[in-house]
Amino acid sequence: MTTAWLPILATPDPLLIAGVREVLTAAGITADPRIVAPDGLVQALGLADHCLVLLDGRALPPGGALAQMCQSKRGSYFVVWAVQSTADLLKTALECGVHGLLSAGLPLEEASRALLGICQGEKIFRFDPDSGPAALPKAVKFSARERHVLLVL
């Protein structure tokens, strides 16, 4: 991975940079990430030809604007950074044409590998196994009384 990418984190929560920076470093992206408010993203995209845009899934630009950015900035990659993955977030990401969606809860190695794949042109959508649209149900522990009631039903 070269340092030619300008990483941009579009978020209203600058504290999100800690986890993002860790993944960027593990992926070999050494350029210092820019943090911008979502409404300042269009201006930030003018700073470089090749941007790696990480979008806070809790504060995405409106769908039409995001789709336009993805189409007009062909040399850049757009990735939704999802603190909480939902079916609506996945749908929006797919409709807007982003290049990936990564759950903030992914293990570091998996997240950095996915980010590298995205920067090599792959479309990658990875969810934390304990969240997201296809989360596996948690095992439920019933009391003896609850088990008895279920058997009677």
Side-chain angles (χ1 to χ4, degrees):
M1 175 64 48
T2 67
T3 57
W5 295 101
L6 172 63
I8 299 173
L9 173 61
T11 180
D13 179 10
L15 297 178
L16 193 61
I17 190 62
V20 169
R21 182 173 279 141
E22 189 176 21
V23 172
L24 289 169
T25 301
I29 300 170
T30 58
D32 194 31
R34 309 265 175 158
I35 303 171
V36 300
D39 60 358
L41 182 56
V42 171
Q43 184 178 6
L45 288 171
L47 297 173
D49 291 332
H50 302 287
C51 299
L52 174 59
V53 182
L54 295 145
L55 303 149
D56 184 343
R58 300 168 296 180
L60 292 177
L66 180 54
Q68 178 63 31
M69 283 184 254
C70 291
Q71 291 173 0
S72 66
K73 195 70 174 168
R74 296 269 182 207
S76 296
Y77 291 103
F78 293 80
V79 180
V80 175
W81 184 260
V83 172
Q84 181 176 14
S85 301
T86 65
D88 286 339
L89 184 59
L90 176 59
K91 181 178 184 261
T92 299
L94 290 170
E95 288 174 346
C96 291
V98 299
H99 303 92
L101 183 148
L102 300 178
S103 173
L106 287 172
L108 180 60
E109 185 178 312
E110 184 178 347
S112 63
R113 251 193 337 260
L115 197 57
L116 281 172
I118 291 167
C119 290
Q120 293 169 358
E122 296 179 48
K123 284 209 177 231
I124 299 176
F125 294 78
R126 290 280 197 293
F127 300 94
D128 179 350
D130 294 329
S131 70
L136 297 174
K138 303 271 190 253
V140 178
K141 293 183 180 181
F142 293 108
S143 67
R145 173 77 177 134
E146 291 168 329
R147 285 192 302 273
H148 175 72
V149 169
L150 286 173
L151 287 174
V152 172
L153 295 175

